[in-house]
Amino acid sequence: MKRLRTFIALAAVPLVLAGCGDLSNSSMSTNSGSSKSGSTQLTGQSTDSDYEGVIQSGHYQVSKSRGVTNTQDSGNTYNLKSFENGMLNVSKKVFSTKKYVFQEGQYLSSTTVQNWLDRKSKSNTTGLNPTDNGSKSASKRNPIYIQALEEQDYMTQKNNKLSLGGVTIGIAVNSVDYYKKTQYGATYETKITQAAGEAYAKKAANTVLKRLRQKSALKNVPIVIAVYRQASNDSLVGGNFLAYSTNKAGSTSVSKWTPLNVKNYTFPLSSGQSSPNSNDASSFSNFKSQVENFFPNLSGVTAQAQYDGKSLAGMHVNITTQFYSQTEIISFTQYLQTTAQKYLPSGVPIDITVSSTDGIQSFLSRTKNEKKFTSHVFNSY
Amino acid sequence: MKRLRTFIALAAVPLVLAGCGDLSNSSMSTNSGSSKSGSTQLTGQSTDSDYEGVIQSGHYQVSKSRGVTNTQDSGNTYNLKSFENGMLNVSKKVFSTKKYVFQEGQYLSSTTVQNWLDRKSKSNTTGLNPTDNGSKSASKRNPIYIQALEEQDYMTQKNNKLSLGGVTIGIAVNSVDYYKKTQYGATYETKITQAAGEAYAKKAANTVLKRLRQKSALKNVPIVIAVYRQASNDSLVGGNFLAYSTNKAGSTSVSKWTPLNVKNYTFPLSSGQSSPNSNDASSFSNFKSQVENFFPNLSGVTAQAQYDGKSLAGMHVNITTQFYSQTEIISFTQYLQTTAQKYLPSGVPIDITVSSTDGIQSFLSRTKNEKKFTSHVFNSY
């Protein structure tokens, strides 16, 4: 449990989450009322496995490079969520959610990140991507390796103050670099192997670490750097993290990388493809065949599955179907609740989203340790 | 608890919902495997306050008038959900969810319902709407009073068989009848007062009851008829039920109507408008002002509130905002969890949907008796 839960605006937000009630250190709580200038508060914590976030003067403290971080979003919308969630997961290995508070990156500005993501050139000496060699040929040109770079800050609390306890930097490299030969022209592709992308990112990581150490605030904190490989635009899942390094306070070069073996799959698997555990894929197939013929009009049933090595880590199931009434949605959701419990793999978090052309209709989920799915039917008065 | 939970295809669906395990009467469970011809099963029950639905041979038993029932959906999409949920709520007053199973209407066909909803004419003698008097004038023409008519069946279980235990008929009358003077022409409106609509529907209810009694299966079951008034197309909530009658087995005319005083509001209230309890509206305003400035870009915060007389019955809160990262969504959802608990009215079911232009991002809900909101952030691998 975090020791200190508010700083100034104690009265602005209730801090009544079960089991998180230690407010004894709130000596800086001198003002009542909301949105006091300069006051710091936390968002509250949903579960022990989530970080709390930082609120300044009633507003969420957004990233200094806000907006730059989602340039990767253009082609495959799954990459952004996958990248940021993966960064949180890597961070949790180093910065415990019980001790650290999450803060959006405050040390790298939009301009800095944008320059770093651009090609190196006379006018942009800090560019982390290779110089333009003039070639338009897919195999001869220098591709854009690094597609996104994001900073996350992890804060500790001491004497009623938040101070920086560590930083995580995510570096996302392309598996495919999409480019145009002429403005508004056709899109061409330069493929980047995993090995080439990973090597390029690890080299860049050293440069990034050195640059960060030049900022006085970042000199003496641990800096985690994680390398992510983006999924291609036609993928129905996001990319995956390849490796991370924890660099202790003061170190200016990465000494050691820890490999990660997290991979994403879409179910049903395409023919010829295999997943780390064939039982999961066949469990899903059984579920799918029970569900897709429930209505006279066929339902579409797909899933994203994440594996850590050979072990299933979780599943997001998406069902789309045409409904004719609210009672059909209610009955379908009840049926899914029992059918999912019978057929889908146990012991991992699973959620199921049911949508029609009118948007989401209902939703079921089960955490890792639960047996029964909880469900919610979206409703309207 | 329902006594009998499966009929034939016992093996097809697990019946393991907590507290609902009485399978001793499953003597008709002679086949194993899924989707046996003619087998009947139930959907499973999410909570004691929901009806289970009927599955035939692995398929959901859809309404015989499927598709006709959503003609009311064209102008105001809230009416359909509001109408069907309201029918369920009225039914629950008469047919206990512990004793009855829900079945989509099986006695009125699409053709029948379509004919009843049309105007009375030489070629359609069963039309419940008035004959066309030829006038195109908003005040002189005969408007379409009855916009939708829906049947719901309530089944009882005895000796391992489902049999009809009662029927609920919903009759939806217009508050505004939208019409065109020429095909593809402008849309004109004939307003229908609540009194006129209600009177028309109650008269039609008598006709409907007589006709239903002519079907041998419906002769000797209780028939509930509920009268609903549609919201106009510009409303941000659906309409409301005005009255219902429970007609015992065999009765061929409605002897007594029970008035209903359920009304829907949108928060924030428009200027000059008032809700049955001003505390709820100001609670919502406080919540809204805490939430809308959380991000640098303003969030839109609205709610649908339902009242039963002077008492708040529940609230659906909708928040739309622009996000730049998954971590922003996570933090926002945590903040909502504490803020909603502090500011929104207690003791009623409330859910909160958070969306961006990319669709739903997160979701929070609290049942009537819970103190704390549960939350879910929609995610992707």
Side-chain angles (χ1 to χ4, degrees), chain B residues 248-315:
Chain B
K248 57 183 186 209
S251 66
T252 54
S253 69
V254 178
S255 59
K256 182 172 159 278
W257 288 97
T258 307
L260 292 167
N261 193 16
V262 175
K263 286 213 174 96
N264 302 323
Y265 294 83
T266 25
F267 289 156
L269 295 166
S270 49
S271 64
Q273 205 194 2
S274 67
S275 65
N277 183 337
S278 64
N279 288 340
D280 303 327
S282 64
S283 295
F284 175 79
S285 293
N286 292 336
F287 172 75
K288 180 179 163 74
S289 66
Q290 287 296 319
V291 167
E292 63 187 356
N293 291 309
F294 186 78
F295 289 117
N297 35 325
L298 204 68
S299 304
V301 186
T302 60
Q304 295 183 323
Q306 186 164 80
Y307 281 87
D308 190 351
K310 293 260 178 214
S311 308
L312 186 66
M315 218 186 246

Side-chain angles (χ1 to χ4, degrees), chain A residues 11 43-44 59-60 66 81 84-85 104 238 293-294 304 326-328 331 334 337 342 361 379 381, chain B residues 11 43-44 46 59-60 66 81 84-85 104 238 293-294 304 326-328 331 334 337 342 361 379 381:
Chain A
T43 54
H59 306 294
Y60 185 59
R66 194 184 198 217
K81 287 199 175 197
E84 294 190 331
N85 277 307
E104 303 276 347
N293 291 310
F294 187 78
Q304 295 183 322
Q326 180 72 0
T327 49
E328 290 186 354
S331 291
Q334 289 183 336
Q337 201 166 20
K342 180 167 186 198
Q361 297 296 332
N379 214 325
Y381 291 132
Chain B
T43 53
S46 300
H59 307 294
Y60 185 59
R66 194 185 199 216
K81 288 199 174 197
E84 294 190 332
N85 277 308
E104 303 276 347
N293 291 309
F294 186 78
Q304 295 183 323
Q326 180 71 1
T327 49
E328 290 186 356
S331 291
Q334 289 182 337
Q337 202 167 19
K342 180 167 186 199
Q361 297 296 332
N379 214 325
Y381 290 132

